[in-house]
Amino acid sequence: MIYRYIESPVGQLLLAGDGDGLKTIGFPQGSGRVTVDAGWELASDCFADARAQLREYFDGKRRHFELKLAPMGTRFQLAVLAALQTIPHGETRSYRDIAEQIGRPRAVRAVGAANGRNPLPIVIPCHRVIGADGSLTGFGGGLEAKRFLLQLEGVALPETRQGSLF
């Protein structure tokens, strides 16, 4: 695999993949942190299209990504990832919504687990999945990054007495 790092408002992101396409976007912290394997090759000029499209997204100029993606996972996980890609920019869905969309309405927890294993966050918008009660739930880049991404997209988030979600 080849990889590079790019700067973003949510920290330095790791982009990795191969000739099949982009396979991984890793955050600098949280459960979405990706460690470079010994066999990976740093290539600072790779994934120029992903870098440009992510920059446009963070600048508020892009709502949909047009990248060659090559996520890996089970058939179920890939079905969840496909469903995530149908969530429009600026909208959210619950885990139950996704479970129903893929025809597995009782698999809400499994959908949550597959969502949490999304190898291509931001581009495959797992940040758009929230709790059924409207609350923010886990995110590989941390809840602050999730909050930032949703606010960037214009999603109105609930506030607590202190003026924040937590």
Side-chain angles (χ1 to χ4, degrees):
M1 289 235 283
I2 55 174
Y3 73 97
R4 74 176 298 173
Y5 292 98
I6 64 168
E7 294 301 324
S8 84
V10 293
Q12 190 176 58
L13 300 175
L14 170 75
L15 307 181
D18 57 23
D20 293 331
L22 189 62
K23 291 184 179 293
T24 301
I25 297 175
F27 287 98
Q29 74 280 329
S31 63
R33 186 168 200 266
V34 176
T35 304
V36 173
D37 284 345
W40 292 12
E41 179 183 334
L42 178 62
S44 60
D45 60 345
C46 67
F47 306 117
D49 53 346
R51 179 177 181 255
Q53 289 185 35
L54 283 162
R55 184 181 307 129
E56 291 169 356
Y57 170 78
F58 286 120
D59 287 345
K61 298 175 183 173
R62 177 169 289 277
R63 300 174 140 243
H64 177 60
F65 293 95
E66 298 171 5
L67 298 169
K68 185 177 177 186
L69 305 178
M72 296 176 58
T74 66
R75 183 179 303 168
F76 179 84
Q77 290 166 337
L78 294 174
V80 170
L81 296 180
L84 295 177
Q85 292 179 78
T86 69
I87 305 172
H89 182 276
E91 294 185 22
T92 59
R93 299 290 184 270
S94 71
Y95 296 103
R96 180 171 309 286
D97 293 333
I98 300 299
E100 290 173 357
Q101 182 177 343
I102 65 169
R104 302 280 303 273
R106 295 178 52 164
V108 175
R109 287 183 186 260
V111 164
N115 192 66
R117 289 187 188 98
N118 177 7
L120 293 161
I122 304 171
V123 173
I124 297 179
C126 56
H127 62 279
R128 296 179 188 155
V129 181
I130 60 175
D133 63 357
S135 64
L136 291 187
T137 54
F139 183 63
L143 289 180
E144 286 303 316
K146 183 171 188 164
R147 182 179 294 113
F148 173 85
L149 295 171
L150 290 172
Q151 289 175 331
L152 176 69
E153 294 184 10
V155 174
L157 299 173
E159 294 189 20
T160 64
R161 288 170 288 176
Q162 293 82 22
S164 67
L165 289 171
F166 300 104

